[in-house]
Amino acid sequence: MTGGSRSGISRSVTDPTFVPDSQQRGLVAALPPHLRDFAMLARFDRPIGWWLLFWPCAWSVLLAGGEERWGLILWLLLGSIAMRGAGCVLNDIVDADLDRKVARTAQRPVASGRVSKQAAWVWLAALCLIGLVVLVQLRIEAQLVALGSLALVAAYPFMKRITWWPQAWLGMVFTWGALVGWIEIRSDHLEALAGLYFGSIVWCVGYDTIYAIQDREDDALVGIRSSARRLGRHVRAGVAAFYALALAFWALAFWAMRPDWVGLIALIPVALHMGFQVVTLAPEDGENALARFRSNRDLGLVMALACWVVGNAGIL
């Protein structure tokens, strides 16, 4: 097995301290063991997840011309942290049996038995309550859009059992915040929103395909499907295609807000970042794939700046 992010099923099962892709630092590392398990269950030790959930929210607010709504952006950040955590808890409850069979996930709190399923359900409810607090800060139209994601969220943990492309379903779920942020700011220029949302979906398919590279061998053993397995030796070309399609959709969104070529220049840094990921991706190296996946946090910031530039000068 190549790559440093995994080290085989036997080690993962026998070594309770082995958490391959965790980034335990600061407050999470300082917590007592029992509380740390709940923090890790919500992936507070892996902040990349809530960054990726948050960025489409921020993009839509900025592209829609809401650059002065910093309070809204902060509420959406809190909601992203809470709801990403809730989604992870639900996923681990549903996937506990599968997680025990995969090296990277065998020591997750529910799979390992350190947190019971009953306690996990209580933790899930607490995180959802935080999400509810965020929800009531929005106007009613945005609230209804946000609630529309619940069915997609609930179905996601089962997608890896029935389709080779669970990343596409994740894309719809993980970028839903783009719809919420936009509708909170405005209800027109829906063609721009559509371009932003669909571009965000295929961006998510691309980066989650990179993430799934780490698990291809273990996934094959236990029958979990993924885009990384489906693409096989063409995984780098597949990621390149997803990223190119994302850029095309985002270009349409920018054009809808500012119909001249100057606005599209703002996407050049985004394209360069994506190109760097593709060119330097080593599909046989798990550590390399994990680093490229995590670099999408920085891509999110670059895209946010592009949305701010176009939204600030666009059609209002």
Side-chain angles (χ1 to χ4, degrees), residues 28-106:
V28 174
L31 290 172
H34 187 62
L35 293 179
R36 187 185 308 142
D37 283 334
F38 283 94
M40 294 177 67
L41 181 57
R43 308 293 196 275
F44 291 160
D45 60 321
R46 296 163 220 190
I48 180 61
W50 51 260
W51 277 116
L52 295 175
L53 186 63
F54 165 70
W55 281 128
C57 304
W59 297 346
S60 63
V61 171
L62 295 172
L63 186 61
E67 67 276 358
E68 296 181 356
R69 298 284 301 275
W70 290 106
L72 170 63
I73 291 175
L74 290 175
W75 277 115
L76 292 173
L77 176 60
L78 176 61
S80 298
I81 295 172
M83 297 315 296
R84 185 265 186 152
C88 290
V89 174
L90 176 62
N91 187 78
D92 283 12
I93 292 171
V94 173
D95 279 356
D97 292 337
L98 285 177
D99 284 346
R100 294 186 188 103
K101 301 175 184 177
V102 176
R104 187 178 55 79
T105 59

Side-chain angles (χ1 to χ4, degrees), residues 133-174:
V133 171
V134 175
L135 183 69
V136 299
Q137 309 305 314
L138 308 176
R139 66 186 183 118
I140 186 64
E141 294 86 351
Q143 290 179 17
L144 294 174
V145 171
L147 291 172
S149 69
L150 294 180
L152 294 174
V153 172
Y156 170 68
F158 303 97
M159 290 300 108
K160 63 177 70 71
R161 295 169 170 83
I162 62 177
T163 176
W164 282 102
W165 299 96
Q167 282 72 24
W169 196 274
L170 179 70
M172 291 187 290
V173 171
F174 233 62

